[in-house]
Amino acid sequence: MIAFSDQDKQQLVSKGITAEKVLKQIETFKEGIPFVKLEKAAVVDGGILKFSNEDENKLIEIFEAARNSKSLLKFVPASGAASRMFKAFFNFLDKYNPQEETLDAYITRTGDKDIQKFAAELIHLPFYEIIQLRIKGKHSTKGEELFLFVNEMLSEDGLNYGFYPKGLLPFHNYGDYAATPFEEHLKEAALYASANGEANLHFTISEQHGKMFNAEFDAIKERVSAETNASFNVTYSFQKPQTDTIAVTMDNAIFREKNGAMLFRPGGHGALIENLNEQNADIIFIKNIDNVVPSRNIEEVADSKKVLGGLLIELQKKAFRYAKELENTSSLDFDLMMEIKLFLEKDLNARFSDNFDSYTIAEQIEILIDKINRPIRICGMVKNEGEPGGGPFWIKGAKGNTSLQIIESAQIDASNTNQMNILKNSTHFNPVDLVCGVKNFKGEKFNLINFVDVKQGFITDKTKDGKELKALELPGLWNGAMAFWNTIFVEVPLVTFNPVKTVNDLFKKSHQVKL
C-alpha cells in the first residue's frame, strides 16, 4: 500500500484529486491498457451512411425548420499551442548561419524539405507582408532574408508566433485583414450554430491565453457581426486540474520532482469531457480550432454541418418517442418492442447479445431502455487520404459486445497481422466533425461521465529532467470518452477537413483566399 505524506495530501487537495484516484491510475499502469480488438473497418453501407444530394437537402430543411426552437452551441477545443507548428523552424534558427553558407547549401546539406518549401512559397503566407515590412533593407542574400523572416516570425522581440495559441495566428489573408482560426469559427457558427440571430460558441483554452482571446474578440466582433448579421455569445473554459494524471517511474512508483512533489501531467483532450459535460445546449457541434476554411468554402462546410444536425434531429425524434413508450410498460407489446430493437440496430448501430431472445420480457425492456437512453453523436467521416490519426471501426469489447468506435492507431496491436490488415483496409478517416445530442427525451442533460470507457486510455513513455517516466492519457474526447454513446458515422466532403499541423499547411489551396 502506498503511503501519502502530508505534503502529498496537501498537493492532492490543491488539485482536487483523491488518493483513491491516484491509486487506481497506478493500478492501470501496473495492469497495462489492452489493445482494442478490431472486428472490421466501418465502410459505406457497413457502418457509414452516405447521402444523395436529395437526402442531404431534406436533412438541411429539417435542420433549418427546427434550429430556432433549439439551443445550439459550437464547442471548439482550442488549447493547442502554435509551437508545434514551428518545430522545424526553431531547428532552422539553431542550425543555420547565413554568414557561413548559402541557403541552397544548407538545404542540400540537411535535406530540409520543410525549409525548402517554406522558402519557395513564402509570399503566400497570410503574414508575409507584415514581416517583410519589419525586415526590409536588413538583408543582402536569400539566406539572410529567410533567416531574418523566420527569426522575426518566432522570436520574443518579433511577432513571437511560437508562443501564441494556434487559434490566434493569422491563417487567411483577405487583403484588408488576416483572419485567425478563432474568427473563422465565428463566421462558421453564424451559419449553423446560431438561432434567432445569435451564435453561441465555447472555446476550451489554456488559462495563460485568456486575455489574448478576449482581446481578439473585442477587436473583431463588430466587423464579424456586420459581415454575418449575427451577434456572438462566446465563453471559455480551461482543462480542469483534477483531470491531470499521475506520472510513474518505469517500475510504476510515483514519479517525484526534485522538490519531492508528485508529478502530474495533463490528461490529454479526453479531459475535455468534463468541460463538455458543463454545456447545456440541445445540439452541440464539435470541431478542432485549426480546422477552418476561408470564406469561399464556408457555405459548403456549413451545409455539411446542417446535414449532420438534421440527421440528429430526425433520430432524436424517433428515439425520444420510443424512450417515452418504454417508460409506459403497460402499453408495450411484443411488436412495439421489436420495432424499437430494430430502430436501435438499424439507425443507432446498437448491437444486442445472441442471448437477448432468451431473456424475460422485463429484462428485455430494461436492456432497450438502457440502450435508447444515451447521448447521440453524429460523426462526419472523410475518405482516407493517408492522413495520420483515428478512423471508424467496429470493435469487440471486453464483454464480447460489438460497437462502432473512433479508434486511434496507437490503440491497435501493431504486431497482430490480422488487426493491421483491418487497419490498412479502412476507407475513412476521423476529421473531428461531430454533432452531439446530450439530452434525454425529458429534456434532461445526460451526465456524460457515465458514458466513458476508462479502459480506452493511453500509456506513453516520456522524460522529465533526463529521467524516463510513464504517463497516462485519458480516453480521447471523441474516442473512449464517448465510447458508450449511440454513434452514427456519415461520409462528409473532403472540404470539411483542413487542419493546420505545421505552418507549411497554410500554403495548401484550401487555405488560400484567392486561387
Side-chain angles (χ1 to χ4, degrees):
M1 185 70 181
I2 295 173
F4 292 99
S5 67
D6 289 342
Q7 180 186 343
D8 292 341
K9 291 172 185 176
Q10 288 177 356
Q11 188 180 357
L12 291 174
V13 169
S14 69
K15 291 186 75 68
I17 296 174
T18 64
E20 290 74 21
K21 194 172 186 179
V22 171
L23 293 173
K24 276 186 181 178
Q25 289 175 359
I26 293 172
E27 279 305 306
T28 298
F29 282 115
K30 289 178 179 177
E31 294 170 5
I33 295 176
F35 292 113
V36 299
K37 187 177 180 183
L38 302 182
E39 199 167 76
K40 58 184 177 181
V43 296
V44 171
D45 295 330
I48 300 177
L49 299 173
K50 183 175 181 178
F51 295 119
S52 65
N53 289 340
E54 184 181 351
D55 288 338
E56 287 182 344
N57 289 334
K58 285 178 183 175
L59 290 170
I60 290 172
E61 286 175 13
I62 289 166
F63 177 78
E64 292 290 9
R67 68 187 292 172
N68 287 333
S69 63
K70 303 278 187 185
S71 56
L72 308 175
L73 175 72
K74 188 174 188 183
F75 182 92
V76 185
S79 59
S83 53
R84 283 178 242 168
M85 283 177 58
F86 299 109
K87 185 178 178 182
F89 301 89
F90 282 114
N91 183 62
F92 171 72
L93 292 178
D94 284 340
K95 299 290 174 64
Y96 178 57
N97 185 339
Q99 309 304 321
E100 294 181 358
E101 66 180 330
T102 66
L103 182 61
D104 289 341
Y106 169 81
I107 292 170
T108 300
R109 176 171 62 84
T110 61
D112 195 329
K113 300 292 186 186
D114 292 321
I115 291 298
Q116 186 176 31
K117 182 177 179 63
F118 188 81
E121 303 195 38
L122 201 61
I123 194 170
H124 299 299
L125 285 171
F127 43 83
Y128 173 77
E129 292 177 3
I130 297 171
I131 295 180
Q132 282 295 354
L133 284 173
R134 289 172 170 237
I135 65 173
K136 189 177 180 181
K138 297 180 181 178
H139 51 81
S140 57
T141 67
K142 188 178 172 184
E144 286 179 356
E145 180 187 11
L146 191 69
F147 185 88
L148 287 172
F149 190 100
V150 173
N151 190 59
E152 188 65 31
M153 180 172 73
L154 298 179
S155 70
E156 286 187 35
D157 295 334
L159 295 175
N160 202 17
Y161 282 163
F163 165 77
Y164 271 54
K166 192 186 284 189
L168 297 183
L169 287 178
F171 266 29
H172 302 142
N173 185 1
Y174 289 96
D176 294 339
Y177 65 93
T180 63
F182 176 77
E183 177 173 336
E184 299 292 21
H185 276 289
L186 297 182
K187 293 176 186 174
E188 266 192 34
L191 292 176
Y192 61 79
S194 65
N196 302 302
E198 182 175 66
N200 298 299
L201 298 96
H202 183 86
F203 294 84
T204 62
I205 63 174
S206 297
E207 195 165 357
Q208 64 181 11
H209 294 139
K211 288 182 180 179
M212 295 174 74
F213 274 95
N214 283 326
E216 175 70 3
F217 183 51
D218 288 342
I220 66 174
K221 61 184 176 184
E222 287 186 15
R223 172 169 52 76
V224 178
S225 290
E227 283 182 30
T228 59
N229 292 316
S231 59
F232 296 92
N233 176 34
V234 177
T235 56
Y236 307 97
S237 63
F238 316 125
Q239 195 163 307
K240 300 179 184 303
Q242 62 264 35
T243 64
D244 290 354
T245 58
I246 192 71
V248 297
T249 66
M250 304 312 283
D251 295 324
N252 300 314
I254 292 174
F255 189 99
R256 295 186 179 275
E257 304 207 56
K258 290 176 180 177
N259 63 0
M262 296 180 290
L263 177 63
F264 288 88
R265 295 175 54 88
H269 59 71
L272 299 181
I273 195 69
E274 298 271 358
N275 305 65
L276 184 63
N277 199 35
E278 293 175 344
Q279 310 310 314
N280 200 38
D282 296 325
I283 297 176
I284 301 176
F285 297 87
I286 301 179
K287 193 178 177 190
N288 276 336
I289 186 67
D290 65 337
N291 184 14
V292 290
V293 295
S295 295
R296 63 185 171 82
N297 288 332
I298 201 170
E299 293 282 352
E300 189 177 355
V301 169
D303 282 348
S304 177
K305 300 293 181 293
K306 292 174 187 178
V307 168
L308 303 184
L311 179 61
L312 175 64
I313 290 166
E314 275 291 274
L315 291 174
Q316 278 188 324
K317 193 185 299 181
K318 291 180 184 177
F320 289 172
R321 176 164 60 84
Y322 287 142
K324 195 172 183 179
E325 299 268 19
L326 285 167
E327 198 176 52
N328 183 15
T329 53
S330 60
S331 66
L332 273 178
D333 58 31
F334 178 78
D335 287 344
L336 180 56
M337 286 176 61
M338 290 304 101
E339 183 183 324
I340 294 171
K341 181 173 181 282
L342 184 63
F343 167 74
L344 280 160
E345 289 176 319
K346 183 174 176 290
D347 291 12
L348 297 186
N349 296 305
R351 292 296 179 263
F352 294 81
S353 76
D354 294 337
N355 301 325
F356 181 79
D357 291 341
S358 67
Y359 296 145
T360 66
I361 295 297
E363 288 171 334
Q364 289 182 358
I365 290 171
E366 192 176 330
I367 291 169
L368 291 173
I369 288 172
D370 172 65
K371 288 188 179 293
I372 209 158
N373 283 296
R374 298 186 181 203
I376 299 175
R377 57 173 176 163
I378 315 291
C379 310
M381 292 290 156
V382 295
K383 285 184 179 177
N384 200 331
E385 300 268 317
E387 292 281 350
F393 294 92
W394 292 97
I395 74 162
K396 192 168 280 291
K399 296 179 181 178
N401 53 305
T402 300
S403 64
L404 267 184
Q405 301 290 340
I406 298 171
I407 300 298
E408 306 297 321
S409 56
Q411 295 176 269
I412 302 167
D413 184 357
S415 67
N416 186 312
T417 304
N418 172 261
Q419 294 288 286
M420 292 308 290
N421 284 338
I422 295 173
L423 174 62
K424 287 172 187 173
N425 290 328
S426 61
T427 58
H428 287 71
F429 173 81
N430 167 41
V432 187
D433 184 3
L434 295 86
V435 184
C436 304
V438 297
K439 294 182 179 179
N440 65 17
F441 72 102
K442 296 177 183 178
E444 302 163 335
K445 198 187 74 60
F446 291 107
N447 181 359
L448 304 183
I449 309 305
N450 294 337
F451 300 90
V452 175
D453 183 357
V454 295
K455 292 295 186 182
Q456 279 200 43
F458 304 86
I459 294 174
T460 56
D461 294 339
K462 304 285 185 181
T463 59
K464 169 78 172 174
D465 298 328
K467 296 179 182 177
E468 290 184 319
L469 61 84
K470 291 195 285 188
L472 178 64
E473 279 196 33
L474 299 173
L477 180 59
W478 38 85
N479 310 112
M482 296 182 177
F484 300 132
W485 293 38
N486 284 321
T487 298
I488 297 92
F489 294 148
V490 179
E491 184 175 291
V492 293
L494 198 56
V495 71
T496 61
F497 183 57
N498 293 284
V500 176
K501 300 306 178 190
T502 78
V503 69
N504 283 359
D505 287 333
L506 292 174
F507 297 131
K508 292 179 179 178
K509 286 183 179 179
S510 57
H511 285 290
Q512 297 301 309
V513 174
K514 295 177 182 178
L515 293 179

